[in-house]
Amino acid sequence: MRPVQFECTAVIPCTASVIAANIADVTRWREFQGYGFLPGIAQAEYEQRSATMVGSCVRVRNTDGSQHREEFLEWNPEQKIVIKLYDFSPPVSSLATHFIEAWDFEARGSVTFARRSFQLFPKRTMTRPLLCLISLIFKPAIVRHLAEMAAEAKRVGGSTLP
């Protein structure tokens, strides 16, 4: 079934490897605050972590009490990271089978052009319109998160990010 898709971009004043290191640091995931009715992240912890990150699985609990898992499908810190979000608790479990999040990085001098794209896979044809509505809230949350990452990298000189 055709997924609901969107993407957001930002110029972040640090290297892609710094961005990737902060993605791997699940203690920082709580800094994602959500947007509107979309919850933020309350806690994230590895259930399994591999040396290459591929196959690593993170259990996420959101600020509204809902939960899901995230598995790293691809890990190339200089170019691309792909994460599968799945095993959602209700109500998302009744709407979607999984989401795919991809980070694409392009170095441009001392900054990184980051593209963050999402595919939300509906459980049934009739749930696709609801995922479209969710994406209308999800996208501004991602835009805000990228802006916060860029501002923090600028503030600290590109050595760390939220």
Side-chain angles (χ1 to χ4, degrees):
M1 188 170 316
R2 187 169 54 100
V4 173
Q5 301 180 71
F6 68 90
E7 71 177 45
C8 306
T9 60
V11 176
I12 302 176
C14 66
T15 66
S17 60
V18 169
I19 297 168
N22 283 280
I23 292 169
D25 181 0
V26 296
T27 64
R28 304 199 74 165
W29 289 23
R30 291 178 298 216
E31 294 165 4
F32 179 79
Q33 299 171 4
Y35 190 87
F37 67 81
L38 182 76
I41 294 175
Q43 181 181 9
E45 59 186 35
Y46 282 100
E47 290 184 329
Q48 173 183 330
R49 185 168 181 175
S50 72
T52 64
M53 287 300 289
V54 174
S56 295
C57 185
V58 177
R59 167 56 81 184
V60 177
R61 185 175 48 82
N62 298 307
T63 54
D64 67 351
S66 63
Q67 297 185 33
H68 67 276
R69 286 188 167 88
E70 299 195 19
E71 180 182 349
F72 290 90
L73 303 179
E74 189 174 335
W75 186 264
N76 181 346
E78 296 299 320
Q79 294 178 338
K80 186 174 192 124
I81 296 171
V82 178
I83 306 166
K84 178 181 179 180
L85 291 73
Y86 67 103
D87 194 19
F88 300 110
S89 62
V92 179
S93 64
S94 63
L95 303 176
T97 58
H98 66 285
F99 300 167
I100 298 293
E101 175 181 7
W103 291 78
D104 292 286
F105 305 119
E106 181 185 330
R108 294 185 180 174
S110 62
V111 302
T112 300
F113 178 79
R115 181 171 60 94
R116 200 168 166 188
S117 60
F118 285 83
Q119 296 178 306
L120 289 60
F121 289 84
K123 199 162 207 172
R124 293 176 285 288
T125 304
M126 61 192 253
T127 62
R128 191 173 191 285
L130 294 171
L131 288 181
C132 288
L133 290 174
I134 289 170
S135 75
L136 294 176
I137 300 297
F138 202 178
K139 184 174 182 176
I142 299 303
V143 167
R144 181 171 73 187
H145 188 236
L146 286 169
E148 290 168 352
M149 292 173 71
E152 178 66 12
K154 185 176 182 178
R155 185 181 67 75
V156 299
S159 60
T160 185
L161 292 175

